[in-house]
C-alpha cells in the first residue's frame, strides 16, 4: 500500500507553499486555504478561521510511543497494543478521529479482533441516523444551498461556533449561478442564544430571531406542519413563542423558492433531539409537495462523517456495530461506546484521535491503547500510547464532508513525520 | 505458470465459438496459444462443463453516495443477511444493498468478474471510487452523470461552441475517472430544483430554456465525436410513468442515427391501455429497437421481493416516494450538479402493477432480436438485487419454468402483456452475448468478455445443469486474471480488481473557464474536484486500465 506524497516535498525542514488546501478541522471542509511552511511551522496565509489556524499552526512535540507512560519504540508499542487487543474479550475501537484510510484500517482490525466501532461524536450523529432509518428526509448540499437558497432557517444550532466560515461561504456569498443580481436572503434564527454575528452581508435581507428553547423547537415544527395542512392550533404561544411569529415563519417557508433548514446535530444537545430532527424533516417533506425546500445537516467534525460512511459501506451500518460474533451485529443502544463502558461490557478501549488535542477518551477504568495527535489531553496514563499524524497536515488522506456527498483530498503539508493511524492500525492487526 | 482447461464446451461469441469442445490455455493472466510441447503446470479437466468469459454487468449500482444512503436507510435489509468473516474474506451483510466487500464476493461467486456503476455524480465521484475500491475482487468502472449540471446546461443555453461542450464532457470524464457518460432524466434533476415536476422530451427547462432532446443530442453527438466507445447511456424522461413508452419511442426516433444506449428500458415501456390505464408497451419498444441499429438497451428487470431503489432521478423518485415500502425515503439536491432519490420498494407478484412490470421486462428480452444490443440487468438494486440473475437467466432459457412462474402471479396483469404468447428460449450462446461479449463490446473493454488469445483470463466454468438457475448460481470454477478465485461457488482467493476508465482528449484551455467558475460558485476548488490517479491506485490498492477511445473528430 503506497502513501501519497506531495510533489513539493515532505521533509519537515523544507519550506513550502500550498494553495487550495482542504481543512479537516470541521465538517464543512473549506478547501480554499493557502498555507506556508517554514522552519517555524505552518502558517495559514489565506482563508483560515480560528479552528483552521489552531489546527494547522499547532506545533506538535516530537514525542515517541509509550508503554505505561515509559518511552518505547514503535514496534514495541505495536506489539504491546496487539497483545492487549488479542487478549481483550470485547475491545472498543472508539474516538475514530481519522480519515477514510484510517477508518478502513479500524474496520479491518475490528472485524479481525471481534471489536465494536463507534465514533466519539456519534451521539450527535445518531440524532440524524435515527431519523434516516425511520422516516428519511429531503436534503441539500453546500453548493446547492449557497447558490439556490432564498431562505435559511437555522434550527437550534450554534452554527457559527461549530463552523466559523459557514455564513461567509454559504449564506453571505454575493454571487449566484442563477442570477447576476440574486435576490436578498432571509435568515431566521430559530433557537435561543445563537451567535448571529456572521449573518451580515449585502446579500442578507431580513434577519429574524425566534429565541425558542432547544427542546421546544420540535413542538414548533410539528405546529408548522399541522398549520400547513390546515389544522387548528390553540393558544397564543407555540413552543413558548408568540403565535404570530410562528405563523410568519410558516408564511416565509411557504413563500420561499428554495428554503433550507440548517442544523448541526451536535448542537441539539437535549434529550430525544432526534425527534426534533424528525419533526423538521417531516415538515420539509410536506412543503415539497408544492414548492421546494430542503434540510442541510452540518456537524461532522473530527472525521465523524468519514467514520459513519466507511462503516456503513463496509458493514451496512453507520457505527455502533460489533464484530464479536464474526458477523456485523448492529445495536444502536447496546453498542454505543458510552453504554458499553458504563455497563462494564468492554475490557479495552482503542482510541483514535488524530485531529485535535481536545478529543479525549471518556473517563473509564479499562486499559486504553491511544493513537493520538501529540498533546492529546489524557486524564490517565494509557497502557499504550502511539503518537500519530493528522490527516491533511502530517500526511495525505481522504475525508467525507458533512453533507455526505462531497469528499476531499487532504494534503501532506510536511509538519511532521508522524505515522498515519492507518499504518499503525495495520501493523497492530498484522501482529494479532 | 501455464494452465490448461481441458475439454470444456466453450461459448465465446466474440470469436464466434458456440459450444465447441476445446482446450483453453492461460499464462500470466492471459489466454494464450502455447507452443506445441509446452509444459503444462496445472490442468483442470472440465469434462464437458460450460466455459465462458467472466460475466460483465454493465449497469449495477455498487458504489457512490446513494448506495450508502440505501445501506444506512435499510438496517432491516441486512438483518438475517449477515455474512461471517472467514480466513479469506471480510464480514459483511445485505440483500438488496449489500456492503461493499460482500458485493464483490457475491458477484465473483456467481461467475462475474466486472461490474459498472452507472450513475456517478461528478460531485460524488471520489466517494464512488472509494466504495468501488472496497468492492472486492471484481473489476469496476463508472459512468459519470451529465445533463442536469449547471455548467453543461449554461453551455447549451449560451449556444457555446460545440468543441467547448466536448472539452467539458471529456474533462469531466477525466476528472471523475469515468469510462462512459450517463444522462438521467435529462435536465429534469435540475428542473426539479426549480420546482418543475415533470420535463417531457420537448419541454423547456424554466431557467436554461433547453429541452431534454437538446441535452440528449448534444451528449450523443459529443461522445461520438470524442471517440468514446460507449454511447450516451440514457435514463430517459418520464421513468415509471404510464404512457412513458411514447417518450421512449420518440427518443429512439429522434436520435437521428446517433448511437444511444437506453438503460433499464423496462421502466420506460409503460402504456396506458385497460381499466388500470397501465399496460405493456414492450412490443412497440422492441419493434423500434429491432429497426434502429443505433440503439442498444439494458432491461432493468423487476424481480419479486424487497429491494431499495437508488437513482439519480430525484424528480421521479420524489413521486415514487408515495409507494415507498417501508415508508421511508431520501431525496437530495446535490451541488448544482445532480441529485438522488433512495426509495425502498417491495415488488409483489400478486400486485397488478408489479406483475405487469415483471412481464414487460421479460417481453422485451424475448422480443428484441439482437442479443448484441440488449444486456441482462435488473438495474441492481432498482428492479431487484443482482443476485437474482441466475433466476432471471432460467426464466429466459426455460419456457416451461417461465410459464410455471407466470401461473403464480397476478393474472390480470398478463392480460395487458403479450408474454404468454412468447415461446422463445435463450440459448447459452445468447446468454454469453448478453452477459459478457455484448457489454464488453459496448463499453469498449478491449480484452474482456471473450476467450480469444490475448484476452484477460477472466473465465467462468459452469456445470451444464439443465436447471439453469442452479447452473448460473454456483459456477464450478472462476478465474480472475488467470488466478483461481472461486471453486464450487465459494471464494478460494481474494484479489483486487482494476478500475476501467476512458480518456478522450480535450483542450486544457477549458480549465481556465472552469477554474473561474469553480472559484465563483462552488464550495470545492477545481483542483480538488478532480480525482488523481494516485487516489485510486494507492488508496484503492488497485490499478487503472485506460481503455482505448477513437480519434476525436472536430
Amino acid at each position: 500500500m503506497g502513501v501519497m506524497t506531495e510533489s513539493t516535498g515532505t521533509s519537515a525542514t523544507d519550506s513550502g507553499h500550498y494553495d487550495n488546501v482542504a481543512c479537516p478541522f470541521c465538517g464543512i471542509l473549506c478547501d480554499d486555504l493557502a498555507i506556508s511552511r517554514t522552519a517555524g511551522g505552518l502558517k495559514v496565509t489565506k482563508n483560515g478561521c480560528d479552528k483552521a489556524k489552531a489546527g494547522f499552526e499547532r506545533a506538535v512535540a516530537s514525542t515517541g510511543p509509550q508503554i505505561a507512560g515509559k518511552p518505547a519504540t514503535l514496534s514495541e508499542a505495536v506489539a504491546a497494543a496487539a497483545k492487549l487487543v488479542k487478549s481483550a474479550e470485547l475491545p472498543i475501537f472508539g474516538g475514530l478521529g481519522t480519515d477514510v484510510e484510517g477508518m478502513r484500517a479500524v474496520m479491518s482490525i475490528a472485524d479481525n479482533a471481534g471489536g465494536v466501532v463507534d465514533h466519539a461524536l456519534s451521539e450527535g450523529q445518531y440524532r440524524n441516523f435515527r431519523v434516516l432509518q425511520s422516516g428519511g428526509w429531503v436534503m441539500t448540499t453546500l453548493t446547492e444551498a449557497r447558490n439556490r437558497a432564498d431562505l435559511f432557517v437555522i434550527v437550534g444550532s450554534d452554527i457559527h461556533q461549530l463552523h466559523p466560515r459557514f455564513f461567509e461561504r454559504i449564506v453571505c456569498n454575493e454571487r449566484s449561478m442563477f442570477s447576476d443580481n440574486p435576490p436578498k436572503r432571509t435568515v431566521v434564527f430559530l433557537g435561543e442564544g445563537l451567535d448571529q454575528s456572521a449573518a451580515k452581508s449585502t446579500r442578507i435581507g431580513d434577519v429574524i430571531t425566534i429565541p425558542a428553547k432547544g427542546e421546544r423547537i420540535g413542538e414548533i415544527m410539528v405546529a408548522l406542519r399541522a398549520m400547513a395542512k390546515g389544522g387548528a392550533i390553540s393558544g397564543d404561544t407555540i413552543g413558548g413563542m408568540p403565535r404570530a411569529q410562528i405563523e410568519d415563519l410558516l408564511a416565509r417557508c411557504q413563500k420561499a423558492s428554495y428554503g433550507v433548514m440548517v442544523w448541526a446535530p451536535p448542537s441539539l444537545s437535549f434529550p430525544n433531539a432526534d425527534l426534533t430532527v424528525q419533526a423538521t424533516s417531516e415538515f420539509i417533506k410536506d412543503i415539497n409537495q408544492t414548492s421546494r425546500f430542503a434540510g442541510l445537516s452540518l456537524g461532522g467534525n473530527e472525521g465523524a462523517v468519514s467514520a459513519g460512511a466507511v462503516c456503513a459501506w463496509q458493514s451496512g451500518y453507520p457505527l455502533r456495530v460489533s464484530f464479536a460474533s464474526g458477523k456485523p451485529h448492529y445495536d444502536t443502544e447496546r453498542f454505543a461506546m458510552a453504554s458499553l463502558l458504563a455497563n462494564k461490557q468492554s475490557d479495552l478501549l482503542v482510541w483514535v484521535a488524530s485531529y485535535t488535542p481536545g478529543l479525549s477518551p471518556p473517563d473509564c477504568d479499562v486499559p486504553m491503547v491511544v493513537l493520538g495527535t501529540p498533546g492529546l489531553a489524557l486524564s490517565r496514563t494509557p497502557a499504550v500510547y502511539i503518537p500519530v499524524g493528522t490527516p491533511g497536515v502530517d500526511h495525505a488522506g481522504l475525508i467525507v464532508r458533512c453533507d455526505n456527498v462531497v469528499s476531499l483530498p487532504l494534503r501532506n503539508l510536511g509538519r511532521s513525520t508522524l505515522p498515519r493511524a492507518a499504518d499503525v492500525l495495520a501493523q497492530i492487526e498484522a501482529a494479532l | 505458470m501455464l494452465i490448461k482447461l481441458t475439454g470444456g464446451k466453450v461459448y465465446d461469441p466474440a470469436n464466434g465459438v458456440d459450444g465447441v469442445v476445446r482446450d483453453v490455455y492461460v499464462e500470466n493472466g492471459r489466454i494464450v496459444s502455447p507452443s506445441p510441447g509446452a509444459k503444462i503446470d496445472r490442468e483442470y479437466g472440465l469434462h464437458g462443463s460450460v466455459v465462458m468469459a467472466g460475466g460483465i454487468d454493465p449497469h449495477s449500482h455498487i458504489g457512490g453516495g446513494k448506495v450508502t444512503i440505501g445501506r444506512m436507510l435499510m438496517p432491516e435489509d441486512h438483518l438475517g443477511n449477515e455474512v461471517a468473516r472467514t480466513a479469506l474474506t471480510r464480514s459483511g451483510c445485505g440483500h438488496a444493498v449489500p456492503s461493499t466487500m460482500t458485493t464483490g464476493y457475491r458477484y465473483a461467486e456467481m461467475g462475474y468478474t466486472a461490474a459498472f456503476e452507472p450513475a456517478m455524480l461528478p460531485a460524488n465521484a471520489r466517494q464512488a471510487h472509494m466504495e468501488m475500491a472496497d468492492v472486492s475482487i471484481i473489476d469496476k468502472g463508472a459512468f459519470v452523470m451529465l445533463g442536469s449540471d449547471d455548467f453543461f446546461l449554461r453551455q447549451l443555453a449560451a449556444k457555446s461552441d460545440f468543441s467547448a461542450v466536448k472539452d467539458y464532457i471529456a474533462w469531466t470524464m477525466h476528472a471523475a475517472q469515468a469510462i462512459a457518460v450517463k444522462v438521467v432524466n435529462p435536465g429534469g434533476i435540475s428542473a426539479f430544483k426549480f420546482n418543475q415536476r415533470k420535463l417531457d422530451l420537448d419541454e423547456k427547462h424554466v431557467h436554461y430554456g433547453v429541452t431534454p432532446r437538446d441535452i440528449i443530442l448534444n451528449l450523443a453527438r459529443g461522445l461520438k465525436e470524442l471517440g468514446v466507445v460507449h454511447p450516451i447511456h440514457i435514463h430517459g424522461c418520464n421513468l415509471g410513468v404510464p404512457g412513458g413508452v411514447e417518450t421512449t419511442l420518440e427518443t429512439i426516433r429522434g436520435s437521428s442515427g446517433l448511437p444511444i444506449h437506453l438503460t433499464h428500458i423496462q421502466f420506460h415501456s409503460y402504456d396506458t391501455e385497460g381499466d388500470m390505464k397501465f399496460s405493456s408497451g414492450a412490443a412497440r419498444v422492441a419493434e423500434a429497437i429491432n429497426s434502429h441499429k443505433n440503439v442498444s438497451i439494458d432491461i432493468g428487470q423487476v424481480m419479486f421481493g424487497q429491494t431499495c431503489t437508488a437513482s439519480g432521478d430525484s424528480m421521479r423518485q420524489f413521486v415514487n416516494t408515495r409507494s415507498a415500502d417501508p415508508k421511508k425515503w431520501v431525496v437530495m439536491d446535490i451541488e448544482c450538479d445532480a441529485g438522488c432519490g433512495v426509495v425502498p420498494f417491495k415488488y409483489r407478484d400478486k400486485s397488478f402493477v408489479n406483475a405487469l412490470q415483471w412481464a414487460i421486462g421479460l417481453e422485451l428480452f424475448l422480443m428484441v432480436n439482437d442479443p448484441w444490443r440488449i444486456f441482462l440487468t435488473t438495474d441492481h438494486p432498482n428492479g431487484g438485487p443482482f443476485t437474482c440473475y441466475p433466476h432471471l437467466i432460467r426464466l429466459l432459457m426455460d419456457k416451461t419454468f417461465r410459464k410455471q412462474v407466470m401461473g403464480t402471479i397476478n393474472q390480470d396483469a398478463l392480460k395487458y402483456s403479450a408474454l404468454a404468447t412468447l415461446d422463445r428460449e435463450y440459448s447459452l450462446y445468447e446468454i454469453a452475448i448478453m452477459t459478457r461479449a455484448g457489454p464488453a463490446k459496448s463499453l469498449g473493454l478491449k480484452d474482456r468478455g471473450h476467450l480469444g488469445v490475448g484476452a484477460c483470463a477472466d473465465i467462468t466454468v459452469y456445470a451444464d445443469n439443465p436447471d439453469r438457475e442452479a447452473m448460473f448460481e454456483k459456477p464450478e470454477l472462476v478465474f480472475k486474471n488467470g488466478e483461481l478465485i472461486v471453486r464450487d461457488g465459494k471464494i478460494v482467493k481474494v484479489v483486487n480488481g482494476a478500475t476501467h476508465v476512458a480518456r478522450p482528449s480535450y483542450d486544457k484551455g477549458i480549465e481556465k473557464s472552469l477554474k473561474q467558475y469553480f472559484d465563483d460558485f462552488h464550495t470545492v476548488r477545481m483542483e480538488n474536484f478532480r480525482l488523481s490517479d494516485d487516489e485510486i491506485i494507492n488508496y484503492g490498492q488497485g490499478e487503472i486500465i485506460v481503455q482505448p477511445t477513437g480519434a476525436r473528430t472536430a
Side-chain angles (χ1 to χ4, degrees), chain A residues 1-5 20-22 29-32 47 100-101 104 107-108 111-112 129 132-144 146-148 169-170 175-179 257-258 285 287-294 308-310 312-318 323 326-328 330 396-401 403-411 420 429, chain B residues 65 68-69 71-76 78-80 82-85 89-93 97-102 121 123-127 129-131 133-134 150 154 189-190 192-195 197 207-208 318 321-322 327-338 515-530 532 534-535 538-541:
Chain A
M1 190 183 323
V3 177
M4 288 177 75
T5 53
N20 309 313
V21 175
L29 306 184
C30 303
D31 74 336
D32 57 353
N47 293 334
V100 168
E101 271 301 270
R104 282 172 165 155
M107 294 298 289
S108 180
D111 190 15
N112 195 334
F129 289 147
L132 175 63
Q133 293 177 343
S134 59
W137 48 40
V138 179
M139 286 287 201
T140 194
T141 66
L142 294 180
T143 296
E144 198 75 57
R146 170 184 162 95
N147 288 283
R148 196 176 297 281
R169 299 185 67 222
I170 310 301
R175 303 197 60 189
S176 155
M177 280 180 192
F178 309 115
S179 169
S257 317
Y258 195 85
K285 281 183 179 176
I287 306 179
N288 274 291
Q289 295 302 329
T290 49
S291 56
R292 291 308 322 277
F293 216 101
V310 176
W313 80 58
Q314 288 200 356
S315 80
Y317 306 111
F323 295 95
K327 299 174 180 178
Y330 183 54
L398 298 168
I399 187 167
V400 186
R401 202 168 74 177
D403 50 29
N404 258 303
V405 169
V406 170
S407 38
L408 282 157
L410 297 174
R411 313 256 289 271
R420 304 191 306 166
E429 187 184 352
Chain B
T68 287
I69 291 170
R71 292 177 178 121
M72 290 188 183
L73 184 76
M74 295 279 285
E76 63 272 48
H78 315 326
L79 294 173
E82 299 89 350
V83 181
R85 177 188 179 80
T89 56
R90 293 276 299 275
S91 72
C93 69
V97 270
S99 54
T100 48
M101 283 93 168
T102 305
L121 326 185
N124 186 240
R126 184 164 281 116
Q127 183 174 338
H129 282 287
M130 292 192 289
E131 292 184 31
D134 286 350
D150 175 71
R154 62 171 68 204
I189 303 165
S190 168
F192 181 54
K193 298 170 185 177
F194 289 87
N195 206 29
R197 299 299 169 125
H207 180 71
Y208 301 101
F318 183 73
T321 61
R322 292 179 207 146
K327 291 213 167 301
K328 53 181 176 179
W329 48 268
V330 170
V331 167
M332 285 189 76
D333 299 321
I334 294 174
E335 295 292 274
C336 303
D337 181 48
K515 165 86 185 138
Q516 190 62 48
Y517 173 78
F518 273 86
D519 285 357
D520 285 349
F521 301 123
H522 272 268
T523 53
V524 172
R525 292 289 168 117
M526 182 191 76
E527 293 81 352
N528 292 323
F529 196 81
R530 291 186 305 228
S532 70
D534 276 355
E535 292 181 38
N538 289 324
Y539 294 121
Q541 302 157 51

Side-chain angles (χ1 to χ4, degrees), chain B residues 20-315:
Chain B
V20 179
V21 175
R22 60 164 62 170
D23 303 333
V24 177
Y25 296 89
V26 173
E27 192 166 33
N28 297 327
R30 297 275 152 183
I31 310 275
V32 294
S33 171
S35 47
K39 180 179 167 288
I40 307 295
D41 297 292
R42 184 77 205 261
E43 183 173 1
Y44 296 87
L46 302 187
H47 310 295
S49 287
V50 170
V51 182
M52 295 185 185
I56 298 170
D57 191 338
H59 189 110
S60 173
H61 298 277
I62 54 170
K66 65 190 172 308
V67 186
T68 287
I69 291 170
R71 292 177 178 121
M72 290 188 183
L73 184 76
M74 295 279 285
E76 63 272 48
D77 177 68
H78 315 326
L79 294 173
N81 291 301
E82 299 89 350
V83 181
R85 177 188 179 80
T86 70
L88 288 174
T89 56
R90 293 276 299 275
S91 72
C93 69
H95 164 69
V97 270
S99 54
T100 48
M101 283 93 168
T102 305
T103 300
Y105 304 146
R106 289 280 176 275
Y107 263 117
E109 286 168 351
M110 226 169 57
Y112 274 68
T113 50
F116 289 81
E117 162 59 50
M120 171 172 70
L121 326 185
N124 186 240
R126 184 164 281 116
Q127 183 174 338
H129 282 287
M130 292 192 289
E131 292 184 31
M132 287 191 288
D134 286 350
V135 171
S136 301
I137 299 178
I138 60 171
D139 285 1
K140 42 253 161 181
F143 312 161
V144 68
M145 269 167 64
L146 286 173
S148 273
D149 55 308
D150 175 71
F151 193 87
F152 179 75
L153 291 173
R154 62 171 68 204
Q155 277 186 323
L156 295 200
K159 306 208 182 318
S160 297
D161 173 37
F162 194 62
S163 68
V165 174
K166 285 189 288 187
D167 287 335
Y168 174 62
I169 296 171
W171 180 86
T172 306
M173 290 183 71
H174 283 246
Q177 301 276 9
I179 190 167
V181 175
K182 185 189 193 193
V183 62
V184 174
N185 189 348
I189 303 165
S190 168
F192 181 54
K193 298 170 185 177
F194 289 87
N195 206 29
Q196 281 178 284
R197 299 299 169 125
K198 69 168 184 56
L199 198 66
D200 285 327
L201 194 59
D202 292 309
E203 190 172 354
K204 280 190 173 162
H205 185 295
V206 287
H207 180 71
Y208 301 101
V210 300
T211 67
R213 188 190 295 273
D214 298 333
I215 294 167
I216 290 171
L217 288 176
N218 274 280
L219 288 169
R221 184 181 151 207
L223 288 166
K224 181 170 184 249
E225 293 184 5
L226 285 167
V228 175
V229 176
H230 190 58
I232 181 64
H233 196 91
I234 303 169
H235 158 149
C237 322
N238 293 325
L239 175 137
V241 175
V245 63
E246 304 299 341
T247 312
T248 304
L249 295 172
E250 191 48 37
T251 305
I252 293 170
R253 287 194 287 263
S255 58
S256 315
L258 287 163
I260 58 171
H261 179 86
L262 298 175
T263 190
H264 42 67
I265 199 162
Q266 177 273 132
F267 290 109
H268 303 267
S269 301
Y270 304 154
D271 216 332
T272 54
E273 288 170 18
D275 296 343
M276 304 286 280
K277 302 272 177 254
F278 183 58
S279 60
S280 171
R284 298 170 67 200
V285 170
E287 190 190 343
I289 309 278
N290 288 337
S291 61
H292 287 79
K293 308 290 181 206
N294 60 317
V295 181
S296 61
I297 60 169
D298 64 87
I299 298 297
Q301 176 68 31
V302 157
M303 305 300 275
F304 300 120
Q306 177 73 56
T307 196
C308 179
T309 67
S311 170
D313 192 345
S314 49
M315 175 189 267

Side-chain angles (χ1 to χ4, degrees), chain A residues 331-351:
Chain A
D331 192 322
T332 61
E333 301 295 326
R334 186 173 159 203
F335 299 129
M337 179 167 42
S339 135
L340 282 173
L341 290 171
N343 296 328
K344 306 214 177 291
Q345 288 178 331
S346 168
D347 52 354
L348 179 70
L349 177 60
V350 180
W351 187 259

Side-chain angles (χ1 to χ4, degrees), chain A residues 149-155 159 166-167 170-172 184-190 194-196 198-201 203-210 249 252 260 262:
Chain A
D150 56 348
L151 168 69
F152 283 94
V153 181
I154 309 297
V155 183
I159 302 295
F166 174 79
F167 282 94
I170 310 301
V171 185
C172 299
K184 286 193 184 296
R185 302 173 139 167
T186 301
V187 182
V188 178
F189 286 91
L190 175 59
L194 306 182
D195 183 346
Q196 305 189 3
K200 285 197 181 70
S201 115
R203 187 72 198 281
I204 295 177
D206 294 346
V207 175
I208 292 158
T209 308
I210 307 177
L249 175 59
R252 287 175 186 275
V260 175
V262 187

